[in-house]
Amino acid sequence: MTALRSVLFNTIFYANLIIRMIVLSPYYFVVPRLTAYEIPKNWARSNHWLMRVIVGTTFEIEGLENLPDGSYILAPKHQSFWDTYALLPKLKDPVYILKRELMWIPLFGWYAKKQRMIPVDRGARGKVMVDVLRRTKEELATGRQLIIYPEGTRRPPGAEPLYKYGIARMYRDLGIPVVPVAMHPGLFWPRRSFRRYPGHFKVKVLPPIMPGMDPDAFFAHLMEVTERASDELLIETVERNPHLPLPPTAVERLRELRKVKAATA
């Protein structure tokens, strides 16, 4: 049944994306930008409904009160395609820095351009990165929320953290709060797999890290608070969903955490 439900969900998920993009394009490109943003936000909501109804996966968000007013950097863990869109409905006007190649995709790239997403050549240095920072400051000056995945790419649940120092530079240069987010959607929507698993998990929005810290101290603090919350959620999620097939990284991390708990008991 898991395989059948997964195939059904994936088929409807991508059809939902493509059909919405095509059918709603005339409306999307005529109305003001913020009005148009409701289309991808409603798409995200519909995906949550599809996951609940077809797969049997539900989630809750804890700590939304930690989101500041105005501009800030949202720094979520990145494990799955799920977390690229899941929080959109909870944010007023989010902006992404994304690979420039994504802007070349028909429809998707046009949608992203209308929302003034910021393209970047990942291998670029110097003047290009200065221009990216300038564009980012312009968008944040209007009160937008910047979404950055501190590890840069998807990592399996329980994997050794590989944070990129770029977020510390952005924290220093932008001078706005950073809000860490811990979650484990990768246990239910694994990367590089068509399978989707039922169950329930929690997304935890942590207290903001206010501007003004030394970048190195900020970087260490961000990793510490995020990974501590991630470890707690890993234990909680697995205990709540004992049926889940765990990736080796999660199995190993749980073993380490239980050893530490036994040693300190």
Side-chain angles (χ1 to χ4, degrees):
M1 285 300 292
T2 297
L4 180 60
R5 287 173 178 266
S6 298
V7 170
L8 180 61
F9 170 79
N10 289 328
T11 301
I12 298 177
F13 173 84
Y14 288 107
N16 183 38
L17 172 61
I18 295 168
I19 292 171
R20 280 174 182 263
M21 276 191 172
I22 294 173
V23 172
L24 296 176
S25 284
Y27 173 80
Y28 183 85
F29 291 109
V30 169
V31 299
R33 185 185 66 81
L34 278 177
T35 303
Y37 218 150
E38 287 305 309
I39 291 178
K41 288 183 178 183
N42 285 331
W43 170 72
R45 294 184 185 101
S46 71
N47 291 334
H48 297 330
W49 184 85
L50 290 172
M51 282 285 283
R52 175 172 58 83
V53 171
I54 299 175
V55 184
T57 309
T58 58
F59 70 96
E60 61 184 294
I61 303 177
E62 180 181 287
L64 284 172
E65 68 277 4
N66 290 322
L67 296 177
D69 295 327
S71 294
Y72 55 86
I73 298 172
L74 193 74
K77 292 286 287 184
H78 191 19
Q79 298 180 349
S80 168
F81 185 55
W82 185 88
D83 51 62
T84 64
Y85 68 79
L87 298 179
L88 282 180
K90 302 299 182 182
L91 304 177
K92 181 180 178 181
D93 188 15
V95 60
Y96 292 81
I97 298 175
L98 43 76
K99 293 187 296 185
R100 64 175 181 173
E101 291 82 2
L102 295 176
M103 304 293 284
W104 304 340
I105 301 174
L107 284 178
F108 177 86
W110 307 338
Y111 270 64
K113 185 175 181 180
K114 167 129 186 176
Q115 293 305 326
R116 300 202 303 260
M117 301 306 173
I118 303 168
V120 62
D121 179 353
R122 282 191 171 181
R125 296 291 186 271
K127 185 177 182 301
V128 173
M129 295 310 297
V130 171
D131 185 59
V132 169
L133 180 62
R134 176 188 60 78
R135 284 280 317 279
T136 303
K137 287 181 176 180
E138 289 174 355
E139 296 301 331
L140 293 176
T142 67
R144 303 189 72 179
Q145 303 81 46
L146 176 63
I147 300 177
I148 296 180
Y149 300 100
E151 294 175 278
T153 190
R154 290 175 299 169
R155 302 277 294 159
E160 180 182 359
L162 290 176
Y163 287 60
K164 310 297 184 184
Y165 196 75
I167 192 168
R169 297 190 183 98
M170 297 296 279
Y171 168 81
R172 176 196 64 198
D173 294 340
L174 296 174
I176 57 177
V178 172
V179 182
V181 182
M183 52 183 164
H184 289 290
L187 293 172
F188 302 84
W189 184 324
R191 62 178 193 156
R192 301 170 188 166
S193 172
F194 82 95
R195 288 185 177 270
R196 309 289 176 256
Y197 297 104
H200 183 83
F201 66 98
K202 182 184 294 181
V203 176
K204 193 166 186 177
V205 180
L206 304 174
I209 304 173
M210 303 308 290
M213 292 181 67
D214 173 81
D216 290 341
F218 158 79
F219 190 63
H221 182 62
L222 173 67
M223 286 194 292
E224 194 274 328
V225 297
T226 306
E227 292 307 308
R228 182 174 67 242
S230 292
D231 285 341
E232 293 170 354
L233 282 183
L234 180 61
I235 295 171
E236 177 182 325
T237 306
V238 171
E239 289 179 349
R240 187 167 189 169
N241 302 274
H243 62 283
L244 285 174
L246 302 179
T249 50
V251 172
E252 179 59 29
R253 186 56 183 161
L254 285 168
R255 183 181 298 118
E256 293 171 357
L257 292 172
R258 286 162 179 161
K259 281 183 180 179
V260 171
K261 183 177 181 179
T264 57

